[in-house]
Amino acid sequence: QVQLVESGGGLVQPGGSLRLSCTASRSFSRFNRMAWYRQAPGKERELVAIIASTNSTNYGDSVRGRFTISRDNAKSTGYLQMNSLKPEDTAVYYCNADVYRLGSRYFDLWGQGTLVTVSL
């Protein structure tokens, strides 16, 4: 089985930047579709960004132009670069992906989440 492990969350001031990482637990894992979601306290989980197997990307309206999703299959890792952070970006961020590894496919995998707090 393949698991996803997020890292890179933390406390940042408004206007600052963070880069989240999502790494597959086993080497030779390749991300096909990958997405980042977030869930703020008392709110539903929302889609932040998605990258398709074709490398096309799409973003939620609230983050478009500030966040960038990418992946590096040589490192079995996906990323979410977050710039110009705002207090309303505070949430737990989750990685979600379909992974291909050595002839096996793993669909709809989720990471454990990483907390991002934007505050003075």
Side-chain angles (χ1 to χ4, degrees):
Q1 183 60 278
V2 176
Q3 296 178 326
L4 303 180
V5 180
E6 296 114 334
S7 60
L11 174 64
V12 62
Q13 293 186 353
S17 297
L18 281 176
R19 188 177 76 161
L20 304 183
S21 298
C22 172
T23 302
S25 61
R26 304 191 71 180
S27 56
F28 304 110
S29 296
R30 296 175 57 84
F31 290 94
N32 290 338
R33 179 200 60 84
M34 190 190 78
W36 288 92
Y37 289 79
R38 69 185 181 186
Q39 187 166 20
K43 295 188 176 181
E44 293 187 354
R45 189 173 295 188
E46 65 171 341
L47 177 65
V48 174
I50 188 167
I51 182 167
S53 57
T54 58
N55 283 330
S56 65
T57 59
N58 200 7
Y59 297 89
D61 289 341
S62 61
V63 307
R64 187 173 291 113
R66 299 188 296 123
F67 290 11
T68 302
I69 188 172
S70 62
R71 63 182 168 213
D72 183 346
N73 279 328
K75 297 181 179 179
S76 300
T77 300
Y79 304 97
L80 183 68
Q81 177 67 43
M82 305 186 296
N83 299 328
S84 303
L85 283 161
K86 304 175 181 180
E88 51 264 43
D89 294 318
T90 295
V92 178
Y93 284 72
Y94 298 90
C95 175
N96 171 254
D98 299 333
V99 173
Y100 175 80
R101 181 180 185 271
L102 300 178
S104 295
R105 287 179 170 83
Y106 304 88
F107 295 101
D108 200 29
L109 300 179
W110 287 89
Q112 81 287 354
T114 186
L115 177 63
V116 172
T117 303
V118 184
S119 179
L120 291 172

